[in-house]
Amino acid sequence: MTPLVRLELAAPSMPEPGDLRLGRVWLDGREGELVYVGREPHLEGPDGRVPIPRDAYGVALVEALDALANRVWGDDWSSAVAELTGMNRRSTARDRVRKQGLPPNALSGVVRIAQRHDAREFAALVRAAARYLDAQRTIGATALFTDATSALVELRGLRALDPTHR
């Protein structure tokens, strides 16, 4: 019988050293932190770490991503995740995520974006930057945002730097 798994994805605002912790997990009546050891998900609870069976985890992961990422990117969140991570679109399709999961760093980034108060706008900005970097492949991210900010200041005047202006 396949174990019952439920995930509640959450990420710290900044990556922390050590094992990646991405929220809570419920596994057959046990509850604990969702912790990745390498690419493998585990429940960490009072009795230590327990590996989460891959099949059950995959189903729970897609359900959790549907709930979280759907609010930001809509039903086609897997395309956004592919574009943001640079992964092949097939690798981020729901059925593939159910079978293979996502690399923990990619999952962490998606969760971190999706839990922001300005998630839709921030996600659009990050996606635009990803498209630009994929097309240009020559400019660093810092320069990209400096140039974009300068363009906005020019386009909107100094008002772009005035937080009281709407």
Side-chain angles (χ1 to χ4, degrees), residues 101-156:
L102 284 175
N105 64 311
L107 180 58
S108 177
V110 168
V111 172
R112 195 171 275 102
I113 289 170
Q115 68 189 19
R116 289 177 59 105
H117 74 280
D118 59 351
R120 292 181 73 97
E121 295 81 10
F122 186 75
L125 175 66
V126 174
R127 197 169 183 186
R131 288 177 183 158
Y132 184 86
L133 291 173
D134 286 345
Q136 298 302 315
R137 299 229 182 253
T138 58
I139 187 167
T142 303
L144 170 66
F145 291 109
T146 300
D147 291 349
T149 301
S150 295
L152 283 172
V153 168
E154 182 179 348
L155 289 164
R156 294 185 174 192

Side-chain angles (χ1 to χ4, degrees), residues 31-52:
E31 177 184 353
E33 276 193 275
L34 174 60
V35 178
Y36 282 85
V37 178
R39 276 191 67 132
E40 297 304 314
H42 290 71
L43 177 150
E44 183 174 87
D47 300 326
R49 290 184 178 174
V50 177
I52 303 171

Side-chain angles (χ1 to χ4, degrees), residues 5 11 22-23 28 36 60 76 83 85 91-92 105 113 131 133 137 147-148:
V5 175
L22 281 179
D28 281 341
Y36 282 85
D76 193 30
E83 195 168 24
T85 61
S91 297
T92 63
N105 64 311
I113 289 170
R131 288 177 183 158
L133 291 173
R137 299 229 182 253
D147 291 349

Side-chain angles (χ1 to χ4, degrees), residues 5-9 24-26 34 36 52 57 60-62 64:
V5 175
R6 186 171 67 86
L7 302 175
E8 186 178 284
L9 298 173
R24 306 290 299 164
V25 61
W26 290 262
L34 174 60
Y36 282 85
I52 303 171
Y57 169 76
L61 177 60
V62 170

